[in-house]
Structures are given as C-alpha cells and as structure tokens.
Amino acid sequence: MPLSASEPYDLAVIGAGSAGLAGAVTAGELGLSVALLDTSAQTGGQFYRTPAPALGAVRPEALHHDWSAYTDLRRRLARSDVVRHLPGHHVWSVTKDEEEGAGVGAGDGLWAVHAVTGADGGGERPVRVRARAVLLATGACERQLPFPGWTLPGVVGAGGAQAMLKSGLVLPGRQIVVAGSGPLLLAVASSLAAAGAQVPAVVEASGYLRYARHPRALATNPHKAAEALLHGAALLWHRVRVRVRSAVTEVHGTDQVEAVTVTRLDRDWRPVPGSGRRIVCDALAVGHGLVPQIELATTLGCATRPLSDGTRALTLDDLQETSVRGLWAAGETGGVGGAQLARVEGELAAVAVAARILGRPAHGGRVRELGRRRDRMRAFADAMAAVHAPGPGWPRWLTDDTAVCRCEEVTAGRVREAIEDLGARDARTVKLLTRAGMGWCQGRMCGAAVACLAARGQPAEPPADRRPFATPVPLSALAVLDAPDTPFVTEPEGSADAPGGHTTTASGPDASPGDG
Amino acid sequence: MARTPAELVGAQPGPPFRITFDGRAVTALPGQSVAAALWGAGILAWRTTRGGGRPRGAFCGIGQCYDCLATINGEPNRRACLVPARPGDAVTTQEGHGRAALGI
C-alpha cells in the first residue's frame, strides 16, 4: 500500500487469475506495494472461476482441478496487507508518463493504468492507478471459427459454457455437443457431464496421436498426460464418445439448436464429402483453442511472436519482461500454456520486478528453479499449439451466407468478395471494406477467422491488434480525464473489504489510489 | 451422480427471487448474473441484431463477445453475462442498437 496519497504503487497487476494472483502475492511477500486489478468481483480468472458467494457452493472444487493451488493463493492474498485487490475494474488502457522520474529506474517514468468500474464497466467511474511497474496477466479469450448456423441461440463458446457453469451453475441445454479443437474441450465436456448434462459427443478436429510427434515435451510434462487421463476417464464414466478428425459443419434449427451435422475431416481439416452424420442435441459448445489477450501490450508497442497455432503472443525475456522496459507479462499473454505454467510465470515475474525495484540482481536458486519449470511447461505449450493448429481446409465449411463477424453480421460471401474481387490481403483491409471486426467486440470473435480467410490458404499473419481502448469506455469517463476539479468518488460496493482496508480510491487526473 | 450443477457443488443459495423477462416472471438465485438466470429458465436469446433482426444470447460468457447485450431496467447495452441479477430487475429484449427510445 502506498504510504501517502501522492505515492504510486510499486506494481500494478492486471488480471487476478492464476498468473496475476501468483505475481501479486509473491511481489507483496517480497515487500512491494501492489494493486491487483480485475474485471470480476472475485479472484481466480477463468480457470478458477467460482460461483458467487451468495450461491453458497459447499463444494466449488467439484468443478475444478488443482483446487488447492488456488486456495493457497487466495489465502496468501487475504493475509497480505500490501496487496490491494481492486475487483470490478475494467482496464481500458495503460499509459506511461515519461516526464515523471519515479519509475523502476532513474528517468523511467510512471505507469498509469486506466480503468472503469462496475460489473460490466458501466459504473462510469474512471479510476487511474499509478505504479512503477506493470504485470500483464490478462489471460486469453476463445478462438472461434465460423460455420453455418453458429449464430443460432444454443450455440455457445466451449469456454463460455464452462464459465456460465462455474459462475452461475447453469447449462445452455440438456444435450450438449462439445466441438472444436484443443484440450479445453475434454475439460468442458467432463464438467458439463458431471453437472448433469448429456454429452452426445466430443468432436475434435485434430487427432490426439499428433502429440506423439513431441515425445520430449510429453515425457517432461507427465502431469499433462495425467490430466488428459483424468478427463478421459471421466468421459468414459459418463459414456461420452470422442470423435477425432471431425468437426461440426452445420447447426440445424430455426430459433434454437435442434441438431448438428458432424463431418469427418482430412488432415488439412477439409470435410470428407458424404461423411456427415446428424446428432440430435439442444446446445453446442464450441471453441478452437485460445488466443492470448495482448492488446494492452501491443498498443504500447510490445514485440510479439507468432505461435504455431496461428495466434500471436508477447515476446518475453528470461524474466518475463516484455520488450518495453518496466512492463512484465505472465500466463497466457506469452502463449497459452495452462494454469500451472501461469503460476510459475507470475511468481518469476514478481521476483524480477522486486529485484529491479529494490535494486538487486535477479538471480539465485529460486529464479533458476522457476525458469527451469517455465521452460519445461512452455515446451509442452508449444507442442500443444502445433497439435491443435487449425488446418488450412476449414474455410470449406463456410457457405456464402454464413456469418463470419457476429457483431456486424458480415457474411463469408462478403469477406470473400473483399478478398477475391477487391484485393484485400489482410484482416485490416477486409475490415475497412466490409466492417468485419468493427463492431462491439472489435474483432475478438472474428479476427482470427478473417485473417485466415484473407491469407487464402497460406499461413495467416496473425494480427497484432492495436486497440487504444481495450474495453468500451463511456465518453463521460474520458471527459473526466481532462477535468481537473473532478471530485473523488468512493469505491463501489464490494471492494471496501479489499485487503488493506482503504475504502476509497481517487478518480480523475493526477490522483493516486489511496487518496481520500 | 449429480443431476444439476447446483447438486454437483452442493449449492445452498439464499432465497430465490423474481426478475422479469419481457414481462414474464423468471426465478433467479442470489449471485447469478442476468444471463445465468435467463439460462436457468431455459431462455437463450434476449437480443435481436441490427441488420437481420436475428436472435442472440450469451455466447462467450465472459464479457468479450457482446452478444448477450440486454436492456436492463430500461438501460440498453448491458452485458447480461456480467451484470448480477437483482430482485425486481426488468429485462427486456434489446432490439437493434438498443437506442430505439432515443429515436435515433
């Protein structure tokens, strides 16, 4: 906690999932003052998403793996009097004030983390948190590839179904097909089945045998194989059939899902003609892997690296620092690798930040050990990305009237027209010609698909999107930034019990958290 | 074997309460989001799109996709998957951009 109103935090952590929690509590234990900002009312991120306390879940762990790792982090957060948890804070931008010399090194400047508050950011109360260093732990969002019927109510993201189950204890239907690609599908299917849904099939576009091409990554990460076995056993127990090298290529129904067509795929994910089979269901949970959520970093000019699954992650050094000094990242922002890797990286980043701020070298046994574990799990993450990379043939699922951009209702036909007739070669040009990606979600749902289509069967250059606003911001929140006399506003309900006990946060320009 | 998500986690929620969806009574549990309460009542769509007037509901479930926008107590464009349900909330189908009341 900053000692006085004008003093910034040592570290602002954005995201209270596995990486952010580990980073925040570790940094706190090393003596730094930390602000931990998160959109949600509760810690845990998506992996450890839990029912709201009012739902009175006696066994929340029934929906989770590795639960004790989370309860340990939560306990360390509750015990800390220097880590301040700021729930309901939607960060829309991170900026740097070069003129102030109080940063991580002489002349480094201070970071300002801009957020709006409220359950969905609609609280319209702007908050600015200033800090000497920033740790980005913003996780990932689901990658979606379009197919005919995917906008029908009852079609939900695989991660979306999981999220709604974990937080609200609800299901989108009784018979739920789970489809797409990636290890998340097995976890989703086993938790839906455990919660009472019938899962007629899990439909995986890749083949699990592809993991055999990465023997070293498999051998050094036995916990991953154990996890897969656990899910496999759960699916066997619930008599869920897993179909590999197949995809849902059409959803049937007028107002809601009535059935899906599952088609076999060749090795390039091209549908095999005549192999379609109809499966009756009332919901479809679908996802084709995860995309690192890195827009706060790319807007600041951080370097990125392409991953073998066609997404893009932040380029990080051995101690988790981005290419921009003073800005660290951990977890899925550096490539999707799971909660365990995220915890290790969060801890490693915190050790590095503490060393920088306290003016000590970052080495020693702890750093070496964390680095070794990070490298081992990163190798598995890279293998996983390669196994589940979408094949070049998936656009053959699309008909001309299939919606690609859900927000702006841009069809595959219009995207193809922009590419074939108007010469668009990248997602940005397609966007300018068709409005695909210009709606509410700013391309988060359709960006990967549009980039892939624009590449016309060649490997797509993953877009490193620069979005000055990472979340929609009311104009009134922006107006306040230039109003010097804005009164301080008290914290929203629910955060007054944050560790540390400060019950107000300053808003408006030139104000630090802890004011008031 | 659990038959419902609530059984699976041994949920012991406080007393359920009512919200309305387009005037119809819907039962919500304390702690549920508006979207979760609607799913719990078997309602999967509560918005129609600007262009085609197509039905939409919650898709990503984590506030990323904006498919779940709803008009809640007269205020349009609220992300129903994030907003907690409160007793007496009036949720109405959001049509188009949700600003019909302004006449724009």
Side-chain angles (χ1 to χ4, degrees):
Chain A
M1 198 70 53
L3 296 174
S4 75
S6 59
E7 215 174 311
Y9 287 94
D10 290 322
L11 175 65
V13 180
I14 304 172
S18 295
L21 265 180
V25 297
T26 303
E29 286 157 3
L30 291 169
L32 304 190
S33 63
V34 182
L36 173 60
L37 298 95
D38 193 85
T39 57
S40 180
Q42 296 179 86
T43 60
Q46 299 309 330
F47 190 81
Y48 288 117
R49 208 171 148 102
T50 48
L55 279 161
V58 178
R59 298 184 299 274
E61 67 274 19
L63 284 164
H64 292 89
H65 292 289
D66 227 354
W67 181 248
S68 63
Y70 172 56
T71 51
D72 175 56
L73 291 171
R74 213 165 53 174
R75 190 174 40 77
R76 287 161 69 191
L77 176 65
R79 205 171 51 196
S80 175
D81 55 3
V82 290
V83 181
R84 183 160 184 218
H85 178 213
L86 298 169
H89 280 59
H90 302 249
V91 174
W92 57 269
S93 183
V94 176
T95 56
K96 191 149 191 202
D97 190 343
E98 301 288 349
E99 287 161 22
E100 295 188 52
V104 289
D108 264 0
L110 271 186
W111 295 102
V113 178
H114 302 273
V116 287
T117 59
D120 69 343
E124 304 198 1
R125 191 175 63 89
V127 171
R128 179 159 78 166
V129 170
R130 302 203 302 170
R132 295 187 171 85
V134 171
L135 171 57
L136 292 170
T138 45
C141 63
E142 211 161 14
R143 169 163 57 190
Q144 297 293 347
L145 301 179
F147 49 91
W150 78 304
T151 53
L152 201 60
V155 181
V156 301
Q162 178 92 320
M164 294 283 285
L165 170 59
K166 284 178 175 177
S167 63
L169 303 179
V170 288
L171 299 168
R174 300 296 305 169
Q175 291 181 295
I176 311 168
V177 169
V178 178
S181 192
L184 178 68
L185 299 185
L186 299 178
V188 170
S190 62
S191 57
L192 292 176
Q198 282 184 309
V199 180
V202 174
V203 185
E204 162 64 58
S206 291
Y208 297 117
L209 289 176
R210 287 186 171 197
Y211 279 98
R213 292 182 197 166
H214 308 273
R216 195 182 169 81
L218 276 182
T220 52
N221 289 274
H223 66 282
K224 287 290 180 190
E227 217 173 277
L229 278 177
L230 205 67
H231 290 312
L235 295 181
L236 271 179
W237 168 256
H238 293 292
R239 299 202 179 117
V240 174
R241 183 159 175 210
V242 180
R243 292 170 187 242
V244 295
R245 292 197 176 284
S246 301
V248 168
T249 49
E250 192 174 358
V251 182
H252 308 281
T254 43
D255 295 322
Q256 60 180 63
V257 177
E258 291 164 13
V260 296
T261 291
V262 174
T263 305
R264 278 200 292 120
L265 303 178
D266 70 9
R267 62 175 54 247
D268 288 333
W269 289 30
R270 277 188 302 239
V272 176
S275 67
R277 296 283 178 275
R278 211 175 156 106
I279 296 180
V280 172
C281 58
D282 57 7
L284 169 67
V286 64
H288 295 86
L290 301 173
V291 186
Q293 214 171 322
I294 56 175
E295 58 264 61
L296 289 170
T298 49
T299 302
L300 286 162
C302 289
T304 60
R305 66 184 181 108
L307 304 178
S308 56
D309 65 356
T311 62
R312 197 166 266 277
L314 296 179
T315 305
L316 304 173
D317 73 6
D318 279 351
L319 295 172
Q320 301 296 131
E321 194 169 9
T322 70
S323 64
V324 172
R325 187 176 161 85
L327 189 66
W328 277 263
E332 318 292 45
T333 47
V336 173
Q340 197 175 354
L341 172 58
R343 287 197 302 274
V344 168
E345 291 189 340
E347 186 178 340
L348 184 55
V351 172
V353 172
R356 176 80 57 81
I357 285 181
L358 302 173
R360 298 193 297 237
H363 55 62
R366 187 179 186 185
V367 168
R368 275 194 302 276
E369 167 61 12
L370 289 167
R372 262 199 303 271
R373 286 165 62 196
R374 190 256 330 265
D375 293 348
R376 172 169 58 76
M377 288 190 273
R378 271 277 158 233
F380 185 85
D382 290 345
M384 193 176 75
V387 166
H388 296 283
W394 73 264
R396 297 198 182 203
W397 303 340
L398 303 174
T399 59
D400 270 351
D401 59 0
T402 305
V404 172
C405 167
R406 297 174 71 95
C407 302
E408 294 293 318
E409 298 170 85
V410 181
T411 60
R414 284 179 56 208
V415 172
R416 281 175 175 148
E417 188 181 68
I419 294 160
E420 283 157 24
D421 301 346
L422 304 173
R425 289 289 173 272
D426 58 18
R428 184 178 158 74
T429 312
V430 174
K431 170 170 136 176
L432 294 172
L433 292 169
T434 68
R435 292 193 61 83
M438 271 176 150
W440 274 102
C441 87
Q442 287 288 289
R444 284 179 182 81
M445 294 299 119
C446 68
V450 171
C452 210
L453 290 170
R456 304 212 289 182
Q458 301 301 307
E461 179 62 20
D465 295 314
R466 287 190 167 212
R467 300 187 184 108
F469 299 94
T471 189
V473 182
L475 288 174
S476 57
L478 298 182
V480 166
L481 291 175
D482 285 330
D485 299 325
T486 308
F488 298 139
V489 185
T490 52
E491 287 267 82
E493 249 179 87
S495 56
D497 58 349
H502 283 239
T503 53
T504 57
T505 287
S507 70
D510 307 321
S512 292
D515 280 4
Chain B
M1 196 185 299
R3 258 177 283 168
T4 67
E7 280 175 26
L8 178 65
V9 299
Q12 297 171 355
F17 57 85
R18 283 196 160 185
I19 65 172
T20 59
F21 171 64
D22 286 345
R24 161 187 164 190
V26 169
T27 303
L29 294 175
Q32 282 183 326
S33 65
V34 168
L38 294 173
W39 274 25
I43 299 165
L44 294 175
W46 50 83
R47 178 170 85 88
T48 58
T49 59
R50 286 201 309 272
R54 303 295 303 153
R56 296 281 176 83
F59 182 68
C60 80
I62 61 168
Q64 290 280 339
C65 77
Y66 296 84
D67 257 0
C68 71
L69 295 177
T71 301
I72 302 175
N73 301 325
E75 192 184 339
N77 294 319
R78 303 295 311 275
R79 281 179 278 175
C81 75
L82 298 182
V83 177
R86 308 264 184 229
D89 276 346
V91 182
T92 46
T93 293
Q94 172 167 325
E95 290 172 13
H97 51 45
R99 303 281 176 190
L102 298 175
I104 56 170

